[in-house]
Amino acid sequence: MVSRVIPVDPFDLVIFGATGDLARRKILPGLYRRFLGGQIPDEACLIGAARASLSDDQFRAQIEAAIAEFVDPAKRDPAQIARFLRCVRYVAIDATGEEGWAQLKALVRPDRVQAFYFSVAPTLFGALAERLHKHEIANSEARIVVEKPFGRDLASARALNGTLAAHFDEHQIYRIDHYLGKETVQNLMAVRFANILFEPLWNAQFVDHVQITVAETVGVGGRGAYYDKSGAMRDMVQNHLMQLLCLIAMEPPYHFDPDAVRDEKLKVIRALDPLTSEDIVRGQYVDARGKSYVDDAENPASRTESYIALRCHVANWRWKGTPFYLRTGKKLRARTSEIAVVFKEPPHSIFDDDTGWRENMLVIRLQPNEGMNLKMMIKEPGPGGMRLVQVPLDMSFADALGEEGADMPDAYERLIMDVIRGNQTLFMRGDEVEAAWAWTDPIIAGWEATKARPQRYDAGSSGPEDALMLMHRDARRWREIRE
Ligand code: BG6
């Protein structure tokens, strides 16, 4: 298979918050990897901007350290790193004041593709947008990239959208949900819409239910202050899990085009039925040996959930009667993210009851070992009559696609390149984000009103007991959480 790396046009990318954690862990190492992959032209310019007063060389040294920490040793080529760093500059800037803006203006070229990555607290988005405009740094096609959390409820998301809209058009705003940059997530669209096999079965008549799991082994230590104000609902469900749900449940867009795709996703969110307390289980981890959630959050009275499981319904013709079960949590048994589409029984079985029938299932693994797995029934080989056995039709991307499959760009790399290309398909539109908050707001308000406490679950387990019951009551079972 021939690798198709399509270089992007020369660009100037300004990273606000360039000395922060996200830049260090993801953005800068990701840009280096794309450079190494031949996608970033030498004439591109990466400009770090942050409060710290650093020289270009001091910032380059920080990037080198980030590459040493976060890039695979096999890809750390000193000559290439030196070439990459040649296109790096740094400006000390005051986001809410006037310092540094003239220097930035002198560096950003007006006739280039321009991108401004706001890797800063959302409270600074407005100040940055305003100054880029006021100092006439951004051209009319400049792109701004903003990170989650995009608001903490509908009102704040609307206010944020309003602030950005005062200076940039919607087609210039790239709201990142890094789950949309994961290889398998995009493959989900390819599998659904480039094959005839699944689409005829992709509805309530044939799909019994869908399970979406994003399980993590890490706790919230180190970021407890942020997390305790969010919880799993705001941190994971309102964005990542709902985006996955949209891609599974949406109607085929008329074209693989940003607005066509996002229109269909928006319809799914709008079609979600409101939830009742029966549909939700919240949990907080407790570690017998060490720290519990409340210790990590440094808030002994915390009622914030580090785990959530819920059952929801997409109220439209396609999905009437098919439940979608979503769960995500910290400190669970294994780190695994997957979507399982579980099909119904054939209408009539010609085999005896004891032959070992099990349901067909399409499992889409986001991480680790990205790939897809279709569970099928076949006859167990050998003599002894008709016994059935479930076998996986396994397509691990690393195996199926060889080296290319093993060397897929990380979500951030892909998304940043899409920003430069001006492709918004994998970014959330303002109305999508607002619709997602409109659905989650009443749920969160319900917990706040009743002062509901999450259930405790053991760190390293699969989550609270009641989450098992949530499916049990419907005569269904969660898939095991394992790598
Ligand atoms: C982030 C959340 O958006 O996604 C984190 O804020 C979470 O709490 C992370 O750990 C998970 O991302 P990934 O790509 O590691 O599954």
Side-chain angles (χ1 to χ4, degrees), residues 289-322:
R289 287 157 299 135
K291 283 187 167 177
S292 296
Y293 172 81
V294 291
D295 301 316
D296 284 345
E298 293 179 12
N299 178 9
S302 173
R303 292 195 304 268
T304 303
E305 74 286 351
S306 61
Y307 175 99
I308 187 165
L310 60 85
R311 173 185 51 195
C312 59
H313 285 95
V314 180
N316 63 17
W317 275 39
R318 186 189 281 263
W319 293 116
K320 177 78 188 162
T322 294

Side-chain angles (χ1 to χ4, degrees), residues 9 13 29 170 179 181 229 279 291 406 445 480:
D9 290 336
L13 169 64
E170 181 61 34
Y179 265 61
K229 291 195 183 69
D279 297 316
K291 283 187 167 177
E480 210 177 305

Side-chain angles (χ1 to χ4, degrees), residues 130-148:
E130 190 191 320
R131 278 164 183 72
L132 284 173
H133 191 85
K134 184 170 101 185
H135 294 280
E136 296 180 346
I137 299 173
N139 65 26
S140 60
E141 288 305 309
R143 288 128 211 190
I144 58 169
V145 185
V146 295
E147 273 292 330
K148 70 174 265 271

Side-chain angles (χ1 to χ4, degrees), residues 26 148 178-179 182 214-216 218 220 223 226-227 235-236 239-240 330 335 337 367 412:
K26 295 286 182 185
K148 70 174 265 271
H178 77 280
Y179 265 61
K182 292 188 190 273
V214 177
E216 298 185 89
V218 292
V220 303
R223 58 200 284 265
Y226 151 76
Y227 192 91
D235 185 52
M236 297 293 289
N239 36 76
H240 306 323
K330 305 279 184 199
R335 176 173 186 257
S337 301
Q367 60 199 22
Y412 275 94

Side-chain angles (χ1 to χ4, degrees), residues 185-207:
V185 172
Q186 294 172 69
N187 230 317
L188 184 55
M189 285 189 273
V191 164
R192 278 196 63 191
F193 303 128
N195 294 291
I196 192 72
L197 283 182
F198 295 110
E199 205 48 29
L201 303 178
W202 211 261
N203 55 53
Q205 193 185 343
F206 298 105
V207 176

Side-chain angles (χ1 to χ4, degrees), residues 115-301:
F116 299 91
Y117 199 128
F118 294 4
S119 178
V120 295
T123 45
L124 296 177
F125 290 176
L128 292 178
E130 190 191 320
R131 278 164 183 72
L132 284 173
H133 191 85
K134 184 170 101 185
H135 294 280
E136 296 180 346
I137 299 173
N139 65 26
S140 60
E141 288 305 309
R143 288 128 211 190
I144 58 169
V145 185
V146 295
E147 273 292 330
K148 70 174 265 271
F150 199 85
R152 54 176 286 105
D153 53 22
L154 177 57
S156 53
R158 262 195 195 140
L160 215 44
N161 275 335
T163 306
L164 296 181
H167 304 288
F168 292 92
D169 281 348
E170 181 61 34
H171 82 275
Q172 297 177 278
I173 305 174
Y174 289 71
R175 295 176 195 78
I176 284 209
D177 181 317
H178 77 280
Y179 265 61
L180 291 179
K182 292 188 190 273
E183 180 70 22
T184 328
V185 172
Q186 294 172 69
N187 230 317
L188 184 55
M189 285 189 273
V191 164
R192 278 196 63 191
F193 303 128
N195 294 291
I196 192 72
L197 283 182
F198 295 110
E199 205 48 29
L201 303 178
W202 211 261
N203 55 53
Q205 193 185 343
F206 298 105
V207 176
D208 179 72
H209 72 278
V210 176
Q211 300 184 19
I212 302 179
T213 300
V214 177
E216 298 185 89
T217 48
V218 292
V220 303
R223 58 200 284 265
Y226 151 76
Y227 192 91
D228 204 42
K229 291 195 183 69
S230 304
M233 189 65 156
R234 286 192 172 101
D235 185 52
M236 297 293 289
V237 176
Q238 186 271 347
N239 36 76
H240 306 323
L241 276 84
M242 285 182 74
Q243 288 294 320
L244 300 181
L245 167 67
C246 285
L247 296 176
I248 288 281
M250 73 183 186
E251 295 300 317
Y254 71 90
H255 189 63
F256 191 58
D257 159 274
D259 277 329
V261 171
R262 296 184 302 175
D263 285 346
E264 296 307 334
K265 281 163 47 194
L266 178 62
K267 288 183 205 162
V268 173
I269 302 175
R270 291 200 170 138
L272 283 170
D273 272 342
L275 298 190
T276 69
S277 56
E278 303 273 280
D279 297 316
I280 309 171
V281 176
R282 297 162 74 225
Q284 242 178 25
Y285 60 80
V286 180
D287 191 335
R289 287 157 299 135
K291 283 187 167 177
S292 296
Y293 172 81
V294 291
D295 301 316
D296 284 345
E298 293 179 12
N299 178 9

